[in-house]
Amino acid sequence: MNNSKIWLSSPHMGGGEKKYINEAFDSNWVAPLGPNVIGLEQDLENYLKENVNVASLNSGTAAIHLGLILLGVKPKDEVICQSMTFSASANPIVYLGATPVFVDSELDTWNMCPQTLEIAIKDRIKKGIKPKAIIVVHLYGMPCKFDEIRSVANQYGIPILEDSAEAIGSAYKNIKCGTLGDISVLSFNGNKIITTSGGGALVTKSKALKEKAIFLASQARDEAPHYQHSEIGYNYRMSNICAGIGRGQMEVLENRITKRREIHQFYKDVFSNNEAVKVFSEPNSDFYSNYWLTTIVIDPNKGSKKSREDVRIMLQDANIESRPLWKPMHLQPVFKNSPYYGEQIAENLFEHGLCLPSGSNLTEVEKERIEKVLNCI
């Protein structure tokens, strides 16, 4: 019996990537610039619409870092950040010498709670520091309650950095995620719904901000025949080779979204008669998720004899990768001294939640292997 590893979310090439990569080699465009970089930016702008401008970078983390710089974040500032997320959402705040202020989730989308956000803003202002920016995340591809968060942000005049690293192809009220924030970011890491091997992008409505981002990402070289620098720059531009992979991946993005949504339905069918397991799904028609990862919560109060960790180990023993949900940032040792606002929603989700294999290249045989384990819950 085939017992090869089933991964949580592995890269899935479409075949067209080689064409763009070969063109880069044939023309010797292997540096962090070239036709594929410009082409990928145009592909993303055409896909996202909303008159956006896109700068291709070497990671989503770099995009968050530059986004915060463009929003004016400086040392000793405070930036509000969703607590339930990957650390890359929060780390760039610290790169800039600023302080992250973490906010709990709400249960409908698992993303930043708008009510708790306002409580946090009011308290930080009362303490004498108005937050400089808000980082909201679309967790596992599920859009946040953006209108409610935007309403709070506008009331206090605070810009939003939209972390759409997990959510390309998702939409909120028929508007693509990655276009909602004052500045937005995308990720094309190897485990994402499409990949450039490693890579990301910064998205803005302002052409001037895009050009500023590219300037900073290219070591902030001033216009001069020699190397002259009036600002600190970074080596954050995407390579032409990686961008070529991305151009090929853009050709199959819609197919990958369809596949991920089919996998989500597969898990809903698996657990349709199990009251102890809830498959995380869109709360209503305002939300359209790419279901980058399908996730579940196991409720110990509804008859389940298996904990999240029991199920993870059962899958592991069958050579199937799964992972707990993101451990909230306010529980991370590195952020133990950062302010936190909320109750225990993110903590409870982490304790009982599990990410299941969701790659668009899952085979029927692999799904059968997964289902056999999950039927034991």
Side-chain angles (χ1 to χ4, degrees):
M1 179 179 177
N2 185 0
N3 196 37
S4 59
K5 180 85 169 187
I6 298 176
W7 298 98
L8 189 71
S9 179
S10 62
H12 188 185
M13 295 295 100
E17 297 86 1
K18 289 183 179 179
K19 173 182 67 176
Y20 297 102
I21 294 170
N22 289 339
E23 286 175 359
F25 273 97
D26 291 343
S27 59
N28 204 33
W29 278 108
V30 294
L33 75 167
N36 284 334
V37 176
I38 304 304
L40 178 59
E41 290 173 346
Q42 292 171 343
D43 292 345
L44 288 165
E45 289 169 359
N46 292 336
Y47 176 77
L48 294 170
K49 304 189 188 309
E50 306 302 323
N51 295 313
V52 297
N53 297 271
V54 175
S56 298
L57 303 171
N58 61 15
S59 72
T61 310
I64 294 174
H65 187 194
L66 292 183
L68 291 174
I69 292 171
L70 295 175
L71 293 176
V73 175
K74 300 273 195 309
K76 298 184 179 179
D77 283 340
E78 291 188 349
V79 175
I80 291 181
C81 182
Q82 188 165 311
S83 182
M84 192 172 185
T85 184
F86 180 53
S87 63
S89 300
N91 286 340
I93 301 170
V94 182
Y95 298 169
L96 293 169
T99 298
V101 176
F102 294 113
V103 168
D104 201 2
S105 298
E106 43 79 19
L107 284 172
D108 289 341
T109 72
W110 297 2
N111 294 313
M112 183 179 287
C113 174
Q115 290 75 31
T116 308
L117 169 63
E118 185 164 18
I119 290 169
I121 293 171
K122 285 181 176 179
D123 192 60
R124 301 322 292 174
I125 291 173
K126 185 178 178 181
K127 286 179 166 58
I129 303 181
K130 178 183 172 182
K132 199 64 175 283
I134 299 166
I135 298 177
V136 298
V137 185
H138 306 303
L139 208 63
Y140 303 116
M142 184 65 69
C144 68
K145 294 183 175 178
F146 195 83
D147 280 356
E148 295 174 44
I149 291 170
R150 171 63 83 187
S151 178
V152 173
N154 286 350
Q155 184 178 344
Y156 296 93
I158 304 174
I160 294 174
L161 193 155
E162 177 198 10
D163 183 348
S164 196
E166 302 170 8
I168 187 168
S170 299
Y172 174 73
K173 295 184 176 179
N174 296 316
I175 299 174
K176 291 276 199 316
C177 293
T179 70
L180 298 163
D182 295 289
I183 289 176
S184 304
V185 305
L186 304 171
S187 172
F188 307 115
N189 191 36
N191 65 356
K192 295 299 190 295
I193 192 163
I194 59 170
T195 184
T196 58
S197 177
L202 183 145
V203 186
T204 173
K205 300 288 177 65
S206 164
K207 188 173 182 181
L209 282 180
K210 170 184 173 174
E211 291 172 350
K212 180 70 171 180
I214 292 172
F215 170 74
L216 292 173
S218 307
Q219 299 289 20
R221 295 194 298 268
D222 293 337
E223 287 287 342
H226 52 277
Y227 286 97
Q228 178 162 307
H229 309 271
S230 302
E231 296 182 59
I232 295 295
Y234 306 89
N235 187 16
Y236 281 172
R237 203 71 163 111
M238 183 183 285
S239 83
N240 199 51
I241 301 298
C242 289
I245 299 172
R247 296 208 71 188
Q249 289 275 280
M250 285 298 294
E251 294 177 351
V252 295
L253 174 56
E254 289 297 344
N255 172 270
R256 301 298 184 255
I257 295 168
T258 298
K259 290 292 185 183
R260 299 262 177 167
R261 289 179 64 84
E262 288 174 355
I263 289 161
H264 177 265
Q265 185 60 50
F266 159 72
Y267 286 118
K268 288 188 74 172
D269 294 340
V270 168
F271 293 115
S272 60
N273 296 315
N274 191 333
E275 292 184 359
V277 179
K278 180 180 179 183
V279 180
F280 180 44
S281 302
E282 298 151 345
N284 59 56
S285 60
D286 285 346
F287 301 85
Y288 180 85
S289 177
N290 65 12
Y291 289 122
W292 167 55
L293 294 182
T294 293
T295 56
I296 59 172
V297 173
I298 301 169
D299 190 339
N301 298 316
K302 291 189 177 179
S304 176
K305 296 179 182 179
K306 304 290 186 183
S307 68
R308 174 262 283 166
E309 194 61 7
D310 291 334
V311 177
R312 188 189 70 79
I313 292 171
M314 288 164 56
L315 288 164
Q316 179 178 276
D317 289 345
N319 208 19
I320 300 168
E321 184 183 24
S322 66
R323 278 189 198 161
L325 303 185
W326 298 125
K327 183 176 183 179
M329 292 299 100
H330 72 278
L331 300 180
Q332 299 286 354
V334 71
F335 293 121
K336 64 183 179 182
N337 296 320
S338 300
Y340 170 70
Y341 293 84
E343 302 299 328
Q344 293 182 305
I345 291 175
E347 293 177 32
N348 288 333
L349 288 169
F350 169 64
E351 183 178 354
H352 300 294
L354 191 68
C355 302
L356 298 174
S358 304
S360 51
N361 49 5
L362 275 181
T363 67
E364 291 303 315
V365 170
E366 288 172 331
K367 287 194 283 187
E368 288 173 8
R369 283 176 55 196
I370 295 166
E371 184 173 6
K372 184 176 179 181
V373 176
L374 296 180
N375 282 337
C376 297
I377 299 178

